[in-house]
Structures are given as C-alpha cells and as structure tokens.
C-alpha cells in the first residue's frame, strides 16, 4: 500500500520475502540501502502528499 506520508517506496518481490510495497522511506538513498541484496526496487511514491508548510509570522 502506498503511504502518502513518505516520498519513497520499496517494491519487494518474491515468494520467500513476500510481494509487497513498503512506503516508509524519506529518501531514495535510505530505500536503496534497505533494498541492497534483496529482490526489491525503490521508486518515487506517486501518492506522496507533503504536509503543507505553515506560514511563518511576518517579520516586523
């Protein structure tokens, strides 16, 4: 499942590890480090919805 809170997902393949989508990464590098040596690939989360930036207080 795509989690809109995280910009990067790891698609995991295979019978031994399960076929799933893990959207728990804040960067592509973080995902790639976790995917290394596994039947997996990293991709940009198409449903990522960053939190809106709250406007700061105006300077005086």
């Amino acid at each position: 499942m795509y989690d809109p809170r995280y910009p990067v997902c790891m698609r995991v393949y295979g019978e031994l590890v399960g076929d799933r989508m893990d959207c728990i990464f804040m960067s592509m590098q973080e995902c790639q480090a976790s995917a290394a040596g596994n039947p997996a690939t990293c991709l940009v989360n198409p449903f990522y919805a960053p939190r809106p930036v709250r406007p700061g207080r105006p300077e005086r």
Side-chain angles (χ1 to χ4, degrees):
M1 171 166 254
Y2 291 96
D3 187 334
R5 296 176 294 172
Y6 297 94
V8 180
C9 300
M10 179 171 58
R11 174 86 164 115
V12 181
Y13 304 93
E15 293 178 20
L16 297 176
V17 294
D19 192 30
R20 66 184 187 276
M21 182 72 68
D22 293 335
C23 296
I24 58 171
F25 301 98
M26 294 304 294
S27 71
M28 191 63 73
Q29 293 81 10
E30 180 185 11
C31 178
Q32 290 169 340
S34 293
N38 294 307
T41 188
C42 297
L43 57 127
V44 173
N45 183 351
F47 298 101
Y48 175 59
R51 291 183 181 175
V53 176
R54 298 171 88 191
R57 297 173 79 183
E59 303 243 354
R60 292 185 192 199

